[in-house]
Amino acid sequence: MLKLKSGRDLSSGLTAQALGLEDIARFGINGGVSVLAFDPIQSLLAAGTDTGRVYVFGQPGVEVEFDLCPGKPIIHMQIVKSIYLVTVDANNAVTVLSLDTKDVLSVFTPNCPITAIESDPSLDWLFLGLENGLTMVYDVDRGAKTPFRIGNLQKTAIPRAPISSVLFLALHPRSFQVILIGYENCAIVYSMVDEKILVVLQYEVPPGAPGGDLHPSQHTRSRFPRLTTGAWHPNGHHVVTAYEDGSFVFWDAKEGVLLQARTIEDTEVNYPRKNYVNSSDIANAPREPIYRVAWCCTTNPEDTALLIAGGEPGSLPLKGITYMDFGPTPVVQITSYQAQGDHYSQPRRQRIYPVPVGADPVDFIMIARTSPYYAGNHDPIALVAILSSGELYSIEYPSGAALPVASMFPPSLCWIQPRTSACSVSAVRREQWIGMMSSRKKQQSMMLTGGAPARSRLRAFDIRNVIIAGHSDGWVRLWDASHGELEDSQILDLSIADALDRSVDVRVSAISFAGQMGEMSIACETGELVYFKFGLNKPTSPDELKRRLEALQIVGPDGRPPVIQHISGRINPQMKEGFLPVFVLSPQRGPITAVKNSDIGFLAVGYQFGTLAVVELRSMTLIYLEDVNGVGIDTSNKKFPLKYGDRSSTPSQGVQLEIPLSLEFSLMALEGDGYSSIVLSVGTNLGRLLTFRIIPVRGSAHAVQFVGALQLKGKVIAAIPFDTEYGVSAAASPTILQKLPQGIVISGALITVTPEEARVIRLPKSKLTSRSFDDKVLVAGLSLLRQGDTLVLVCVTESGFIRIYSIPSLREISSLSVQKFYDVRYASRSIISLNGDVLLGIGKNESALFNIWGKAMAVKTTGKSGERITDSLYDVMKRPPPRPAISTIQWMSGTKYVTVEDFDLFSTWGSTSSEIQENGRGRTGTSRATEISGYSDDSFFGFIPPFISLFVVLWEKIQQCLW
């Protein structure tokens, strides 16, 4: 229903044909991260989600999305030969993607569920462990399964053990013909060329031994802990296996000798003990299983460390990833088993890499510097942990410090490190934004450098739209959403944790950024608001520094800090320029429900207990702090449904509080006035619009004066001022404020939007136009293309449409569908900008940036035909280094040296070991693997000179004499 009074049409220059939805960008990922894969050769990071999507990230601006299996989680993922991305989803489908063409090359679904996968950077093969205990090989390049199979080896090694699925697979780091296969009751080292079991590793905890069990009642019986995961030592001489009881065991890989059984805090847990007392002193909680282990090395493969996810007592409040630095490994040939075991019982360093409170690390990957070998753990610089919440957490290796995410990852990955808890969009002049970005101190280089971004259509706006995202760990990150220029990929960040002088309870709940003034107000979930101002950190005199520090110690009569606490004493002295903390506003009125930092020096904050606070920023003075309950209401009017209560009341006491939800400062003349004023409009949850005027008193001071109230239908979700004469926004700006002393009269009006209706109001109470909505409105905002005749009201509706209405008549001009991307659960987080940008919440961890003035173009499209162009991922010039080979000692002790070509023939045609020895060296031509990769293992280690054999024999004689 539409009700209309006369007025100038500010949308006369628009028709439905002039509007179209341009899909500009995505931020974040759809769903939670379930698996990660990293390739150091191409420097690409792939993230699989629990919604069936895969994202591949490279250098700034490089992001490619694959929607493989909608609604089904990605369970496993590997990057093979730096060119193939292989995924296994919940439907048990193996999908092979080409990073070069970005096409699906093949899809394979085995008859039995896949429980583990493994690959090698030099092979085209993907090893698949199945639920029935079999292991098969899939030819990734040809897109076909091979005839090679490995049976259920646990059934062969332990006939009485129940049938077990394959829990993990790990290829030997130096000889890919040897594979470590993990089952529930044992791990088996198997030679694929000789087709025989080399070693069976079964861990038994005898009676009286603690094992990984924390409660002494479990120590009276013999146990065989269930295996969970395992890994090779980088030199291939040792193996570590981890178990469900939180223990992990080191083995000699050749003889199967148990070297050391331990937990994170205890050693030799496989030996019986008398009067055992658990050193962790937490015996009532079971220890967590070990989910993942990674055996890392430096540039020297003998210098190693172990990273462990899990294995901690379940009742510990803080979880993390355990780091054990073992240092250089003793020479196996001249070290006894006892000494080798002692080496693993005494790490030279051990610490916990903490993760955010409330989330447990369930998996992680290492970010290797250059080499993809040693299971991706060679000379790593960082690790990225997957948390139980689906978020990511990045840690510097080996220091364990949290990485500066903003300077090392693309915006979409920053969006979930950790999850975004609040978001805002603000307009900033291009020159001002570039000046802000120049204040960033020199950071580390980007973690990902692969790929090449596609050419995007430039958007030549002098006003940049800056997205501000707040996170649950207190970090706030800003970046330019306009796209098309170099500075777009750079991120500016700040933290409220330092300003509040604590590291817990710092979740960001709301943000308001005054772009023209460089001022930002950040609300914390605890009800505190931190005010920052961008500027130079000028040197302070000793007296000034003393005054700032004394301000931090001021407390009120109740022992609490004052309502406005000055915190400039917490400015980082090393910061030269940036967002400087100024004060904390904490009136103790509950969580913050709305915040508006204007561009004219005033700040308004609404609280859960119904309180409205107004701060004059220039003098940092609180000029208004009152409850809005009953403001402007005639208490004798019994028909009004509002119930009263003080700020300590709660709904459970039968009192319905009136809470500020929408705040807006504007400059306009109120009805009946012959001059313009600073107007504050407050919309509440009970459908009232409160109008206040800010007036000067006593020189430069100001006061807040109530003007009037108007009852609307439903809660107020937006209060939008506009200029009825010039067809522009009437939001408060410093340029217009400077003209008020000249006596200018701004003919303004206000659009109020509730889920059921929109009204155009001449403040404080005169209604000009109204419209009832058939489709419930979630978010509303103002947009214009040019001044005078293109001003429109943009609404995001519950049914998945962006509806555009003329002003002031509120006639529907166009309806743009976003149902393809829409999720009503997250649409209320959407934000509408004055330039036509709509940041639409489309998922728990994802938002999409659209523009209503586009021509229905797709993401990163160019050309007259609007063809879709995606970023490039694969660089053919980047080739992997030669694969590490077996040592001379291993070769002399009988380990066969098998080339890629030999194994290619064996895996494809099922050739025997004797056939490989007979034909492997005699083949002519180049194998398929060599043709693709451009290198051969023979170039690295295909010939052992005779004098090395003589040296080995001599060394063995010396070793015997030493013993």
Side-chain angles (χ1 to χ4, degrees):
M1 182 178 66
L2 183 67
K3 296 181 180 179
L4 178 65
K5 291 184 180 181
S6 61
R8 181 191 167 197
D9 188 359
L10 302 178
S11 310
S12 58
L14 292 177
T15 62
Q17 290 72 27
L19 297 164
L21 202 61
E22 179 182 3
D23 194 342
I24 299 173
R26 296 288 186 278
F27 300 106
I29 64 172
N30 187 281
V33 177
S34 57
V35 64
L36 294 170
F38 176 71
D39 182 68
I41 304 300
Q42 296 293 330
S43 190
L44 298 173
L45 178 66
T49 72
D50 54 14
T51 59
R53 300 191 184 186
V54 174
Y55 298 82
V56 182
F57 301 98
Q59 63 173 294
V62 174
E63 178 180 340
V64 177
E65 177 185 347
F66 302 95
D67 192 3
L68 300 181
C69 186
K72 299 294 183 179
I74 303 297
I75 307 300
H76 305 284
M77 186 163 59
Q78 293 270 4
I79 297 179
V80 179
K81 290 293 290 285
S82 298
I83 190 173
Y84 303 113
L85 178 62
V86 184
T87 66
V88 180
D89 58 43
N91 286 338
N92 206 44
V94 179
T95 304
V96 180
L97 295 162
S98 171
L99 295 178
D100 185 14
T101 63
K102 298 180 285 295
D103 295 326
V104 176
L105 301 180
S106 62
V107 179
F108 167 66
T109 304
N111 296 328
C112 190
I114 298 170
T115 56
I117 68 172
E118 175 66 332
S119 65
D120 185 89
S122 62
L123 297 176
D124 293 326
W125 317 116
L126 182 71
F127 294 84
L128 304 174
L130 306 181
E131 191 177 54
N132 59 9
L134 299 180
T135 301
M136 63 180 298
V137 179
Y138 184 73
D139 188 335
V140 174
D141 181 50
R142 294 187 176 95
K145 61 180 180 180
T146 68
F148 181 73
R149 298 283 190 280
I150 300 175
N152 192 326
L153 302 181
Q154 177 175 285
K155 185 177 180 181
T156 303
I158 312 174
R160 295 186 178 182
I163 297 296
S164 169
S165 59
V166 176
L167 300 182
F168 70 89
L169 299 168
L171 288 170
H172 194 289
R174 294 176 180 270
S175 179
F176 45 69
Q177 61 157 322
V178 178
I179 188 170
L180 176 66
I181 306 176
Y183 301 93
E184 290 186 2
N185 296 97
C186 66
I188 294 177
V189 180
Y190 181 77
S191 172
M192 291 181 282
V193 172
D194 293 330
E195 296 183 290
K196 69 176 183 180
I197 295 175
L198 301 180
V199 176
V200 177
L201 308 175
Q202 185 179 23
Y203 173 48
E204 178 182 5
V205 182
D213 296 305
L214 293 173
H215 202 283
S217 64
Q218 302 293 324
H219 303 166
T220 58
R221 57 185 179 85
S222 177
R223 291 102 68 202
F224 291 88
R226 183 181 182 273
L227 187 65
T228 57
T229 186
W232 287 94
H233 187 291
N235 64 17
H237 289 296
H238 294 158
V239 166
V240 63
T241 53
Y243 297 88
E244 198 172 45
D245 66 349
S247 61
F248 50 101
V249 181
F250 297 91
W251 308 83
D252 177 78
K254 184 175 179 59
E255 302 296 337
V257 177
L258 191 153
L259 303 176
Q260 178 64 241
R262 62 168 301 162
T263 61
I264 290 175
E265 68 275 349
D266 203 357
T267 60
E268 296 183 343
V269 297
N270 60 325
Y271 289 103
R273 305 179 187 179
K274 294 182 180 179
N275 300 323
Y276 173 73
V277 177
N278 180 27
S279 60
S280 67
D281 198 28
I282 308 178
N284 294 325
R287 191 185 298 274
E288 288 190 344
I290 293 179
Y291 307 108
R292 170 91 157 85
V293 294
W295 211 328
C296 306
C297 63
T298 62
T299 52
N300 175 17
E302 301 295 330
D303 188 359
T304 69
L306 197 66
L307 287 172
I308 304 168
E312 301 167 321
S315 61
L316 287 181
L318 297 178
K319 305 296 175 62
I321 296 173
T322 303
Y323 166 73
M324 291 183 173
D325 181 9
F326 295 111
T329 306
V331 180
V332 174
Q333 290 75 18
I334 59 174
T335 307
S336 66
Y337 291 135
Q338 179 64 42
Q340 294 177 47
D342 293 341
H343 171 72
Y344 295 121
S345 68
Q346 301 171 353
R348 62 182 181 181
R349 286 184 297 175
Q350 179 174 341
R351 60 169 299 180
I352 300 288
Y353 294 165
V355 299
V357 178
D360 298 336
V362 296
D363 199 2
F364 63 87
I365 63 165
M366 306 304 298
I367 305 297
R369 199 179 303 272
T370 55
S371 173
Y373 299 110
Y374 302 110
N377 302 323
H378 180 259
D379 193 22
I381 58 176
L383 66 92
V384 181
I386 302 176
L387 305 182
S388 56
S389 59
E391 300 166 289
L392 300 181
Y393 188 70
S394 301
I395 302 172
E396 186 179 8
Y397 181 87
S399 69
L403 279 176
V405 174
S407 63
M408 304 191 74
F409 288 97
S412 287
L413 287 179
C414 295
W415 199 271
I416 56 171
Q417 296 198 54
R419 181 175 292 120
T420 301
S421 58
C423 189
S424 178
V425 177
S426 181
V428 181
R429 293 192 307 273
R430 180 178 179 274
E431 296 78 7
Q432 183 179 1
W433 173 250
I434 294 176
M436 288 182 177
M437 296 307 299
S438 65
S439 69
R440 299 167 70 248
K441 63 180 181 180
K442 187 175 180 180
Q443 301 282 357
Q444 303 180 40
S445 58
M446 293 294 290
M447 184 77 70
L448 307 175
T449 59
R455 181 168 60 92
S456 302
R457 186 176 70 87
L458 300 182
R459 304 206 300 164
F461 291 142
D462 292 333
I463 302 298
R464 318 301 286 178
N465 263 357
V466 176
I467 295 180
I468 309 105
H471 299 263
S472 57
D473 61 351
W475 279 99
V476 176
R477 301 182 178 114
L478 301 84
W479 66 88
D480 182 7
S482 302
H483 285 262
E485 295 186 0
L486 180 62
E487 65 265 23
D488 297 340
S489 61
Q490 299 178 356
I491 301 176
L492 190 65
D493 59 354
L494 64 150
S495 174
I496 65 172
D498 294 335
L500 295 174
D501 196 26
R502 64 173 187 256
S503 59
V504 297
D505 297 331
V506 291
R507 181 184 179 89
V508 177
S509 60
I511 304 170
S512 181
F513 180 41
Q516 297 185 54
M517 303 301 293
E519 300 170 347
M520 186 183 302
S521 296
I522 304 172
C524 182
E525 66 176 357
T526 56
E528 296 154 303
L529 182 136
V530 186
Y531 169 75
F532 293 85
K533 185 172 180 61
F534 189 89
L536 293 172
N537 185 14
K538 300 179 181 179
T540 58
S541 63
D543 293 339
E544 173 66 14
L545 181 60
K546 181 180 179 181
R547 185 190 65 79
R548 291 183 178 183
L549 295 177
E550 289 176 349
L552 297 175
Q553 309 301 322
I554 298 176
V555 295
D558 56 355
R560 295 178 178 178
V563 174
I564 294 183
Q565 181 185 22
H566 297 271
I567 57 171
S568 55
R570 293 174 182 162
I571 296 176
N572 185 352
Q574 297 180 352
M575 178 185 291
K576 296 182 179 179
E577 184 181 18
F579 284 96
L580 308 177
V582 180
F583 66 80
V584 173
L585 176 66
S586 181
Q588 306 294 326
R589 304 297 172 93
I592 293 174
T593 58
V595 57
K596 181 62 180 180
N597 195 330
S598 73
D599 283 309
I600 59 171
F602 293 96
L603 168 67
V605 186
Y607 292 89
Q608 186 70 45
F609 289 168
T611 302
L612 174 66
V614 180
V615 179
E616 185 182 12
L617 297 176
R618 289 177 177 82
S619 62
M620 289 181 285
T621 304
L622 185 66
I623 61 176
Y624 189 85
L625 184 65
E626 298 291 341
D627 293 344
V628 297
N629 286 286
V631 172
I633 296 177
D634 183 3
T635 57
S636 62
N637 185 2
K638 299 182 180 180
K639 295 183 180 181
F640 193 80
L642 183 66
K643 298 179 181 180
Y644 300 99
D646 59 30
R647 61 176 177 264
S648 63
S649 301
T650 62
S652 61
Q653 297 172 306
V655 178
Q656 187 178 8
L657 293 176
E658 188 171 21
I659 303 170
L661 296 182
S662 176
L663 304 171
E664 186 61 66
F665 288 94
S666 58
L667 296 174
M668 64 176 68
L670 298 178
E671 188 176 21
D673 289 347
Y675 56 91
S676 298
S677 304
I678 301 175
V679 178
L680 170 61
S681 302
V682 181
T684 73
N685 63 317
L686 298 184
R688 287 207 307 154
L689 176 68
L690 308 178
T691 303
F692 297 87
R693 179 168 29 203
I694 298 179
I695 57 176
V697 293
R698 298 189 303 276
S700 60
H702 291 83
V704 177
Q705 180 186 64
F706 174 74
V707 178
L710 180 66
Q711 182 64 45
L712 307 173
K713 292 173 58 177
K715 67 178 182 180
V716 181
I717 60 175
I720 311 165
F722 68 97
D723 190 318
T724 60
E725 182 178 356
Y726 294 101
V728 296
S729 172
S733 68
T735 304
I736 303 300
L737 181 65
Q738 293 174 359
K739 298 179 181 180
L740 291 189
Q742 302 173 10
I744 65 170
V745 178
I746 301 172
S747 177
L750 189 78
I751 304 174
T752 61
V753 183
T754 70
E756 292 80 19
E757 68 167 6
R759 295 188 186 186
V760 179
I761 300 169
R762 180 80 69 181
L763 293 178
K765 295 182 179 181
S766 296
K767 181 175 68 174
L768 302 179
T769 311
S770 67
R771 182 186 184 96
S772 297
F773 298 125
D774 297 328
D775 192 3
K776 185 178 179 180
V777 173
L778 301 178
V779 178
L782 209 62
S783 293
L784 62 84
L785 188 59
R786 64 173 180 263
Q787 179 177 329
D789 61 354
T790 62
L791 190 68
V792 292
L793 174 67
V794 182
C795 298
V796 177
T797 68
E798 192 175 49
S799 62
F801 286 88
I802 297 176
R803 301 190 187 275
I804 302 168
Y805 300 94
S806 65
I807 295 177
S809 64
L810 298 181
R811 171 181 52 86
E812 183 173 322
I813 300 175
S814 180
S815 180
L816 307 175
S817 175
V818 289
Q819 292 177 329
K820 178 181 177 182
F821 320 95
Y822 198 70
D823 192 329
V824 69
R825 294 174 297 175
Y826 312 108
S828 59
R829 301 185 321 205
S830 303
I831 302 171
I832 297 170
S833 299
L834 191 61
N835 69 345
D837 281 354
V838 179
L839 186 67
L840 184 69
I842 59 175
K844 188 175 183 179
N845 301 318
E846 185 179 23
S847 292
L849 184 64
F850 299 94
N851 190 276
I852 64 171
W853 308 114
K855 298 297 181 182
M857 299 175 67
V859 177
K860 292 191 174 179
T861 56
T862 58
K864 296 181 180 180
S865 60
E867 67 276 11
R868 182 180 177 87
I869 298 179
T870 58
D871 304 319
S872 298
L873 296 175
Y874 183 71
D875 185 354
V876 70
M877 300 303 294
K878 294 180 179 179
R879 297 182 177 180
R883 190 186 195 280
I886 58 175
S887 66
T888 304
I889 299 297
Q890 290 171 315
W891 180 76
M892 290 300 299
S893 63
T895 303
K896 292 183 176 65
Y897 175 69
V898 179
T899 66
V900 173
E901 292 82 357
D902 292 336
F903 195 75
D904 181 48
L905 179 66
F906 170 76
S907 300
T908 306
W909 305 109
S911 303
T912 63
S913 176
S914 59
E915 289 173 340
I916 288 179
Q917 293 178 1
E918 180 180 352
N919 301 326
R921 298 298 179 187
R923 288 196 310 270
T924 59
T926 306
S927 71
R928 174 181 49 80
T930 304
E931 289 174 353
I932 295 176
S933 63
Y935 76 95
S936 170
D937 274 352
D938 289 343
S939 63
F940 178 72
F941 197 73
F943 175 70
I944 300 179
F947 71 85
I948 295 183
S949 302
L950 180 62
F951 172 77
V952 171
V953 173
L954 180 60
W955 175 256
E956 289 179 347
K957 295 295 184 183
I958 296 174
Q959 182 179 342
Q960 293 175 2
C961 294
L962 292 175
W963 283 104

